[in-house]
Amino acid sequence: MTSSSLSSSFTVTVNGEPQLLDLDNRTTLLDALREHLDLTGAKKGCDHGQCGACTVLLDGRRVNSCLVLAVATQGHSITTIEGLGTAERLHPIQQAFIDHDGLQCGYCTPGQICSAVGALDEADRGWPSAATADVGAEKITLDDSEIRERMSGNLCRCGAYVNILAAINAVSP
Amino acid sequence: MREFGYQQVSDVETAVATLATSADARYLGGGTNLVDLMKLGVETPELLIDVTTLPLTDISETADGGVLIGAAVRNSDLAANPVIRQRYPAVAQAVLAGASGQLRNLATTGGNLMQRTRCSYFTDVTKPCNKRAPGSGCPARDGEHHNLAILGASEHCIATSPSDLAVALVALDAVVHVREGDSARAVPLTEFRRLPGDRPDLETTVEPGALITGVSLPGLPIAAASRYRKVRERASYAFAIGSIAAAVEVSGGLVTDCRIAWGAVAAVPWRATRAEAMLRGKPVAIESFAAAADAELTAAEPLEGNAYKVALIRNVTVELLAELTGASR
Amino acid sequence: MTSTLDPATTRTPLMGQGINRLDAIAKVTGEARYSGEYPLDGMIYGWVVQAPIAKGRIRDISPASTLSMPGVLAVLDYRNAPRLSDAGDSELLLLQGDRVYYRGEAVAVVLAQSLEQARAGADALDVSYLAESHDVLLRADHPDMYTPELVNPNFPSASNVGDVDAALAAAEVVIDRVYATPAEHNNPMEPHATTAHWNGDTLLVFDSNQGASSVQMSLCRLFDLPRSAVQVKSEYVGGGFGAKGSARPPVVLASMAARLLGRPVRVTLTRQQMFAMVGYRTPTIQQVRLGSDWSGRLQALDHLAYSQTSKILEFAEQTAVVSRMMYATPNLRTAHRLLPLDVPTPRWMRAPGEAPGSFALESAMDELAQACNVDPIELRIRNEPDLEPDSGRPFSSRNLVACLREGARRFGWDDRDPRPAIRQDGRWRIGSGMASSTYPARNAPSTCQVQARSDGTFEVRITASDIGTGARTALTQIAADALRVELDRVELRIGDSDFGPAMIAGGSMGTASWSWAVVKACRDLLGQLDMHSGAVPAGGLLARADTKDDVAAQADVTRHAFGAQFLEVAVDIRTGEVRVPRMIGVFAAGHIVNARTARSQLIGGMIMGLGMALLEESLMDLRFGDYLNHDLAGYHVASNADVRSIEVSWIDEQDDQTNPSGIKGIGEIGIVGTAAAIANAVWHATGRRQRTLPIRPDRVIS
């Protein structure tokens, strides 16, 4: 790839499948998913990393796909809501969101769920958060205030937060 | 967004040399600020050089007992690092107080220091802004400025730096390592960012095209009990309206050493050196803390809409210093 | 095949049960497709270009450089845009001339092969303007302030019972205060999006809205088309809160662009664009005067509200209307004054009128309680009316007092020390507060079709909209009950204007209004089935219902839902931070159709109320005439961390004067009262009254 080229051909793994893409360098990961791969589960709520609706997992970590250039994901692995679970085989967090009514309009929901998957993994690794009283401590107790803080990068205008908390509590160890 | 080329590089030399080939290239880190500003038309590079692929992703301990943080270390990895968490807790807390889990997984250490202001005139290309379009004017002074600077501003610009991390770093004597052309240079963070003066478009003291390769923190025992406190309008996921990083060393009821820095008050992470000087040798008491904060704040030039920040900063300073020293109110 | 109906006697009604949201699986898997997610063959992307001036004219548009850019196919502007006819909303007459009426108004749409190309073309479009001086600040003493004839939706602007001035002059206690609320933006998570496609002279749009038949009607009028030529589909909608209550610019622009190009066009607004183009809640300035005796019994209530509208369309928020029905007083006056400015037209935002109006009224009541040294709950009970104070009409049901008592019990209000500023927990000052909630429970005509299919299932078709309310689930429950079958035998189809005219999801009238049509059609169908001895003939059976006459024939009573909110706040007066650790809401809202989705909706309303109290504010820049903090980093809606314990419950309320299902809407009442309860609690915590929203750190710091 040369600097004179304004578009790029590259391969990225999406939901376990290698995808060969030829995209304008300006295309974000979010637009690549939605407009080029017809994976519309990742949502565009703000396009500036200010709402979290576009959250997907990049090499297993939750990120705002609206701020990631698709071209920069070459060789990496993306998991979207479509790759987490399906109607026939729901991910436990998807099931928990249903059981606890952790959604209303549904637009922030895929991002919330991807974010929850990432957040639980982060807690499992012992990563602290702004709600952690002692950042030096090795283990994290994922109490309500920890979950709320860790999920605060996903705005929900319908106000499903109480139920989202309950859903995550139901699946967190 | 303007069309641009994209290039990955595998070493620092190539990155710097590649940037020099273009009249308008930018290093791309996590993209959380740059891509955001490109969408708004504030940044219009013709070439992006992806520096996340550089071998700058380690946090290593240095000979003087400090740490060197690679510029491409993601914010979340920085905050999760055991050495940072135990020896420089304010740094971990500052990172964690910023943005969201998703953004911290993307944003890099070097990028964080290069964050542009969130002033709403700067981010809207249909409006004047001396920082974005030199000479066009600053509407913030007579307009909306409730979260803009009370310290170090000029008639040309009252922008604030939004970085939380930089506040903790500047308090703990961080040094920024940059590559300028063929040479490497270490710049204390206190000298890395510029106050606006009559050139608010110039934000750092390093050469255009310089690449941050890392940030080092010295071995600093006082830092082990450092703390970061952030006040914001929302309980999470919001920029600071005032923040403080501090560390205090006490002996025999007196403050023997201290580090104090403020965020969201200036275009730079504000090291409160006057407050520190005032506090050293003083008894551990609320009055000492208040006097130290006041000494620093004598330089404040608040406007109508951000005058509350003077009280806010004074109050959080007293509160945090009291917490750190166990002084009772 | 025969359709055996379950005997009514052995069947537990589905209504009231907390059945899982029927669209939850589609939403948690990402399968639910919203209106900007339909990939039509040959589709073109449109990007809106907005005026950077608040008032003036377009001097020139030079599209040449944009047209030369890669992928750009056309620029739609006032010189080539299809001519539109007035559809009763002058803000929809887009690209019809060179005038600019507000900053952020659409002046062009750039059409290109890709999203990136369209945006780049829009950024580069060369438009020059002749700016004129603008006026964008709401102030009570503005000379252009006038009295509108009606306020939203159709209330008289003013009301007057008795002699308020004399009663105030004679009152033992007078509270005379000015309250202010800022402009607020609805900000549904899904930005407005339309994918439009013309097939000859017929138009199909996938559009994000709260009512497909309302948008269909607007498109018919704008483009002079018969209803049969316009289809609006809106199967999934990512929230609305009023911002999608009628046709908004994207559907008009996409339809015009698609016509120009002869290809499908999608127009999606950016979050930033939404701050100028889809409405917002007007700022208000409100003077409330209460006169009472020492026991707190009201002698006079005077509520005067100032708000803004645009210069091209009148929208008069019904801010003071809540005071006409809330408390008993022999002397009652309300008035509205409106100021036209060079701003986008304010429109509905969740509980228009009641949300800002109740902030003023319920704050003033708290101040009166303090002045009279009467408990705030007791004060309200003492002023509980038998009939609607303003009109003298009976209430269909009114259970405010029951809500107050139940809420007080759940909260533990009796243990409360009324003295302000005496509780401290670490750096936090602690206080508690309460306020009443209310919202009208109205119905609007709707139509519905129900088909009995030969396989024993039923298809219910209604142009309802589920914007997150749970209407899809609730209406399925209602239909199943009406048909006396289990849920899985009913297929409910919504969000398609081909199903016939229906009420929008708005005014807390959606589910109530639709349920009536559903029940009526189902009953009709049952009658038909009876005539066929329960057997569905080969071709199926179809029933249609229209509730126009039924709604018109409703008795002349006044219908409202009520509620009470109790909450605790923690205030750090040194930093200005305010937290709300505990909120309790008790509501009396008729028959609750689905306990699960209702709870969610009421909690969601209270959370938006929390945002209104503490966070939300659109900052008007006087020099540039726009809402400056136009994104989700600058405009703060509540985040997960802002929300702590919220408990919602309701009292069992039977009201057979609302509609056949006894439903009162619950979409809006949750937000009503929250802001006042928080402000009242902040006073209790700090001893300082907060009469201006939001209660920002700089207003709290001392």
Side-chain angles (χ1 to χ4, degrees):
Chain A
M1 204 184 312
T2 66
S3 60
S4 59
S5 171
L6 303 174
S7 62
S8 306
S9 269
F10 59 95
T11 303
V12 56
T13 302
V14 180
N15 297 331
E17 300 280 326
Q19 297 283 353
L20 178 63
L21 293 171
D22 186 354
L23 294 178
D24 190 317
N25 287 343
R26 293 173 293 188
T27 306
T28 61
L29 174 57
L30 177 61
D31 288 332
L33 294 170
R34 287 170 61 85
E35 307 299 333
H36 298 270
L37 297 172
D38 198 32
L39 293 170
T40 55
K43 303 301 184 194
K44 188 183 282 188
C46 75
D47 214 19
H48 287 267
Q50 300 165 353
C51 79
C54 67
T55 303
V56 300
L57 300 167
L58 169 59
D59 297 334
R61 290 182 173 204
R62 53 178 176 158
V63 299
N64 302 97
S65 62
C66 71
L67 293 178
V68 175
L69 295 174
V71 63
T73 65
Q74 52 191 292
H76 293 275
S77 175
I78 311 295
T79 304
T80 70
I81 190 71
E82 292 91 343
L84 272 186
T86 60
E88 295 72 34
R89 219 188 144 89
L90 293 169
H91 186 284
I93 294 181
Q94 289 173 319
Q95 185 64 54
F97 268 65
I98 297 173
D99 295 342
H100 295 271
D101 206 34
L103 65 145
Q104 292 184 37
C105 81
Y107 200 76
C108 73
T109 310
Q112 298 275 2
I113 291 170
C114 288
S115 186
V117 171
L120 289 175
D121 179 58
E122 290 164 10
D124 198 41
R125 291 163 191 254
W127 289 11
S129 83
T132 309
D134 175 9
V135 291
E138 276 176 30
K139 263 194 80 79
I140 298 301
T141 307
L142 207 55
D143 60 15
D144 287 357
S145 69
E146 282 280 3
I147 295 174
R148 290 187 188 111
E149 162 59 25
R150 288 164 193 263
M151 290 301 295
S152 282
N154 292 83
L155 301 180
C156 170
R157 187 56 158 159
C158 298
Y161 298 131
V162 173
N163 297 348
I164 290 168
L165 171 69
I168 296 173
N169 262 323
V171 291
S172 78
Chain B
M1 201 190 292
R2 177 187 179 188
E3 288 181 285
F4 57 84
Y6 169 86
Q7 195 157 352
Q8 292 188 344
V9 285
S10 53
D11 59 75
V12 169
E13 294 71 22
T14 311
V16 176
T18 307
L19 191 104
T21 63
S22 160
D24 206 354
R26 294 282 188 283
Y27 299 118
L28 173 68
T32 54
N33 193 198
L34 180 57
V35 174
D36 161 38
L37 292 175
M38 286 165 64
K39 290 182 186 187
L40 295 171
V42 174
E43 293 274 12
T44 55
E46 62 166 23
L47 173 64
L48 291 183
I49 300 160
D50 190 337
V51 293
T52 59
T53 52
L54 293 175
L56 301 172
T57 55
D58 286 340
I59 300 174
S60 51
E61 298 188 49
T62 55
D64 70 342
V67 289
L68 175 62
I69 304 158
V73 169
R74 308 281 178 174
N75 282 184
S76 48
D77 290 317
L78 177 60
N81 183 277
V83 175
I84 299 297
R85 286 159 68 179
Q86 277 146 31
R87 292 196 218 155
Y88 307 93
V91 172
Q93 289 168 345
V95 170
L96 295 170
S100 66
Q102 293 95 308
L103 290 164
R104 293 192 294 271
N105 277 333
L106 290 170
T108 62
T109 308
N112 192 299
L113 300 184
M114 297 302 293
Q115 265 190 93
R116 314 294 304 274
T117 183
R118 297 282 163 170
C119 172
S120 22
Y121 300 101
F122 173 74
T123 56
D124 184 344
V125 296
T126 67
K127 292 172 183 157
C129 167
N130 286 328
K131 183 183 281 298
R132 175 171 38 75
S136 60
C138 174
R141 190 168 273 279
D142 296 321
E144 168 50 36
H145 54 247
H146 87 279
N147 198 15
L148 298 180
I150 55 169
L151 286 163
S154 74
E155 61 178 302
H156 305 287
C157 182
I158 54 172
T160 41
S161 157
S163 172
D164 291 296
L165 170 60
V167 180
L169 290 175
V170 83
L172 303 178
D173 302 339
V175 173
V176 185
H177 300 267
V178 297
R179 178 84 179 202
E180 291 173 319
D182 291 335
S183 59
R185 187 153 74 94
V187 187
L189 183 51
T190 46
E191 294 162 25
F192 178 74
R193 290 193 70 96
R194 286 181 78 256
L195 288 173
D198 57 2
R199 287 298 303 275
D201 54 314
L202 298 180
E203 295 185 344
T204 68
T205 58
V206 296
E207 283 179 13
L211 175 67
I212 299 176
T213 58
V215 178
S216 60
L217 284 162
L220 197 65
I222 192 175
S226 61
R227 211 174 283 183
Y228 185 71
R229 166 88 161 96
K230 173 175 180 174
V231 181
R232 42 186 157 182
E233 289 165 338
R234 181 160 68 184
S236 183
Y237 200 19
F239 295 101
I241 54 172
S243 73
I244 173 172
V248 191
E249 194 176 82
V250 174
S251 180
L254 299 179
V255 173
T256 49
D257 195 10
C258 60
R259 298 284 189 288
I260 303 170
W262 292 335
V265 295
V268 303
W270 190 268
R271 180 74 181 260
T273 48
R274 269 195 262 190
E276 290 177 8
M278 179 81 152
L279 194 55
R280 288 195 183 94
K282 293 289 190 312
V284 170
I286 298 298
E287 297 70 33
S288 311
F289 306 149
D294 288 342
E296 189 76 35
L297 287 166
T298 53
E301 294 179 305
L303 301 166
E304 189 187 346
N306 63 7
Y308 73 98
K309 282 192 174 193
V310 176
L312 171 63
I313 284 293
R314 181 186 195 271
N315 293 344
V316 288
T317 302
V318 171
E319 173 196 297
L320 183 60
L321 293 175
E323 249 177 62
L324 287 169
T325 57
S328 56
R329 299 192 63 99
Chain C
M1 285 286 289
T2 57
S3 163
T4 311
L5 299 170
D6 304 330
T9 47
T10 63
R11 194 177 166 284
T12 309
L14 292 160
M15 253 184 91
Q17 292 187 30
I19 289 161
N20 276 357
R21 217 173 270 276
L22 295 177
D23 50 15
I25 291 177
K27 287 176 175 177
V28 301
T29 55
E31 282 171 16
R33 228 172 246 277
Y34 295 75
S35 60
E37 299 173 345
Y38 287 85
L40 302 187
D41 282 346
M43 193 188 77
I44 296 302
Y45 294 87
W47 200 281
V48 179
V49 178
Q50 296 175 282
I53 59 168
K55 185 180 182 184
R57 285 181 187 281
I58 298 168
R59 182 162 58 193
D60 192 28
I61 301 183
S62 311
S65 59
T66 284
L67 287 169
S68 70
M69 292 170 73
V72 174
L73 300 179
V75 175
L76 178 76
D77 62 41
Y78 75 93
R79 294 170 307 189
N80 61 356
R83 293 304 98 187
L84 299 172
S85 300
D86 188 1
D89 180 342
S90 43
E91 260 193 3
L92 294 180
L93 295 172
L94 295 154
L95 314 183
Q96 300 298 295
D98 63 353
R99 284 240 44 117
V100 173
Y101 295 100
Y102 57 93
R103 190 179 173 110
E105 184 178 352
V107 295
V109 181
V110 173
L111 299 154
Q113 304 274 5
S114 79
L115 206 51
E116 294 79 15
Q117 291 165 338
R119 177 169 215 171
D123 289 347
L125 186 67
D126 184 5
V127 188
S128 58
Y129 298 88
L130 292 163
E132 297 165 21
S133 65
H134 59 252
D135 186 1
V136 294
L137 177 65
L138 174 67
R139 54 186 174 92
D141 62 351
H142 196 293
D144 293 348
M145 196 65 82
Y146 74 99
T147 301
E149 200 174 312
L150 295 173
V151 294
N152 179 61
N154 53 13
F155 294 103
S157 178
S159 71
N160 194 7
V161 175
D163 187 339
V164 165
D165 292 323
L168 281 170
E172 289 168 345
V173 182
V174 173
I175 299 294
D176 183 350
R177 298 295 188 196
V178 174
Y179 302 87
T181 63
E184 297 161 7
H185 278 78
N186 314 54
N187 276 314
M189 291 312 297
E190 182 208 16
H192 294 60
T194 305
T195 312
H197 178 46
W198 289 88
N199 189 350
D201 279 333
T202 65
L203 172 63
L204 167 65
V205 299
F206 298 91
D207 180 58
S208 183
N209 63 64
Q210 295 172 221
S213 50
S214 153
V215 173
Q216 176 200 35
M217 195 64 76
S218 293
L219 291 172
C220 289
R221 291 171 69 182
L222 287 162
F223 291 95
D224 288 318
L225 293 167
R227 282 180 45 111
S228 58
V230 177
Q231 185 181 13
V232 178
K233 298 184 79 163
S234 318
E235 195 180 355
Y236 290 99
V237 181
F241 314 109
K244 297 173 182 170
S246 58
R248 298 289 146 99
V251 72
V252 181
L253 296 170
S255 300
M256 284 199 284
R259 171 141 259 188
L260 181 81
L261 285 184
R263 295 173 68 171
V265 170
R266 180 188 300 160
V267 172
T268 305
L269 292 188
T270 65
R271 179 61 56 182
Q272 288 82 354
Q273 288 171 338
M274 290 169 68
F275 279 78
M277 297 181 68
V278 297
Y280 60 97
R281 194 197 298 284
T282 177
T284 71
I285 301 165
Q286 303 176 55
Q287 182 179 28
V288 176
R289 296 194 293 168
L290 303 177
S292 79
D293 62 21
W294 282 114
S295 72
R297 243 172 268 279
L298 285 172
Q299 305 301 319
L301 194 172
D302 192 19
H303 191 162
L304 168 61
Y306 301 88
S307 64
Q308 73 187 33
T309 186
S310 72
K311 288 192 179 156
I312 51 169
L313 185 66
E314 180 182 273
F315 177 85
E317 177 114 351
Q318 69 272 40
T319 313
V321 165
V322 65
S323 288
R324 296 177 187 170
M325 47 67 59
M326 206 58 198
Y327 299 114
T329 175
N331 303 288
L332 172 60
R333 181 169 64 195
T334 63
H336 297 85
R337 304 270 289 153
L338 195 60
L339 178 63
L341 292 168
D342 301 308
V343 295
T345 312
R347 291 167 185 269
W348 310 305
M349 178 166 160
R350 203 174 204 167
E354 274 74 6
S358 80
F359 167 66
L361 176 63
E362 294 293 315
S363 295
M365 286 295 280
D366 205 64
E367 300 204 43
L368 181 64
Q370 179 197 352
C372 297
N373 198 21
V374 174
D375 180 83
I377 299 171
E378 178 57 29
L379 179 77
R380 286 163 174 85
I381 293 172
R382 281 182 194 170
N383 290 293
E384 174 70 4
D386 295 326
L387 300 170
E388 186 174 49
D390 172 57
S391 70
R393 288 183 301 171
F395 289 95
S396 67
S397 57
R398 179 176 167 119
N399 284 299
L400 172 61
V401 172
C403 293
L404 290 166
R405 294 206 161 113
E406 175 65 7
R409 187 186 69 77
R410 286 174 176 265
F411 187 81
W413 185 264
D414 288 352
D415 303 333
R416 178 181 187 258
D417 185 332
R419 291 173 298 162
I422 56 166
R423 289 150 297 270
Q424 187 95 25
D425 178 9
R427 67 185 178 95
W428 301 102
R429 295 202 178 180
I430 309 297
S432 53
M434 58 78 54
S436 304
S437 307
T438 188
Y439 202 74
R442 295 171 299 223
N443 295 276
S446 294
T447 65
C448 176
Q449 304 164 32
V450 185
Q451 187 152 26
R453 295 189 293 213
S454 51
D455 64 356
T457 63
F458 298 87
E459 183 177 292
V460 180
R461 296 187 292 267
I462 183 162
T463 313
S465 176
D466 190 333
I467 57 174
T469 59
R472 186 180 266 114
T473 311
L475 292 178
T476 308
Q477 289 172 256
I478 288 164
D481 275 353
L483 294 164
R484 302 199 297 270
V485 299
E486 289 311 312
L487 207 62
D488 59 7
R489 284 170 63 188
V490 176
E491 184 194 349
L492 180 85
R493 296 180 62 203
I494 61 172
D496 186 334
S497 63
D498 274 6
F499 299 157
M503 177 57 189
I504 63 163
S508 293
M509 300 163 74
T511 297
S513 303
W514 303 321
S515 75
W516 199 335
V518 167
V519 167
K520 188 176 181 184
C522 288
R523 285 179 183 166
D524 180 320
L525 189 73
L526 285 187
Q528 291 187 39
L529 271 170
D530 275 349
M531 292 196 293
H532 289 81
S533 311
V536 181
L541 282 175
L542 178 69
R544 296 170 191 273
D546 185 340
T547 58
K548 190 161 136 260
D549 296 337
D550 308 80
V551 172
Q554 282 203 288
D556 186 23
V557 299
T558 186
R559 299 172 182 81
H560 297 267
F562 290 89
Q565 302 195 26
F566 295 77
L567 48 83
E568 182 180 296
V569 299
V571 184
D572 184 338
I573 58 165
R574 294 200 290 264
T575 61
E577 294 160 296
V578 181
R579 302 284 183 262
V580 188
R582 193 159 70 102
M583 304 172 80
I584 284 177
V586 178
F587 300 93
H591 200 147
I592 298 298
V593 183
N594 184 312
R596 172 181 298 253
T597 56
R599 173 179 169 272
S600 297
Q601 207 180 3
L602 291 165
I603 289 175
M606 291 170 70
I607 291 175
M608 201 179 277
L610 185 157
M612 176 183 176
L614 301 178
L615 308 170
E616 296 189 32
E617 175 177 31
S618 303
L619 300 164
M620 172 53 73
D621 189 283
L622 300 184
R623 173 167 166 193
F624 300 102
D626 69 343
Y627 287 110
L628 193 66
N629 52 334
H630 47 230
D631 61 24
L632 291 176
Y635 185 95
H636 289 154
V637 305
S639 73
N640 202 317
D642 291 285
V643 175
R644 313 270 272 273
S645 166
I646 303 184
E647 280 178 39
V648 155
S649 60
W650 44 84
I651 63 167
D652 189 25
E653 185 178 75
Q654 303 289 330
D655 187 332
D656 55 13
Q657 295 193 79
T658 55
N659 45 57
S661 301
I663 296 171
K664 294 177 176 178
I666 52 168
E668 287 159 281
I669 191 168
I671 195 179
V672 180
T674 318
I678 290 177
N680 295 341
V682 168
W683 168 78
H684 189 232
T686 66
R688 282 179 62 185
R689 287 285 169 191
Q690 297 288 341
R691 300 189 184 93
T692 300
L693 294 183
I695 304 171
R696 299 187 314 225
D698 63 297
R699 294 180 170 139
V700 174
I701 288 176
S702 58

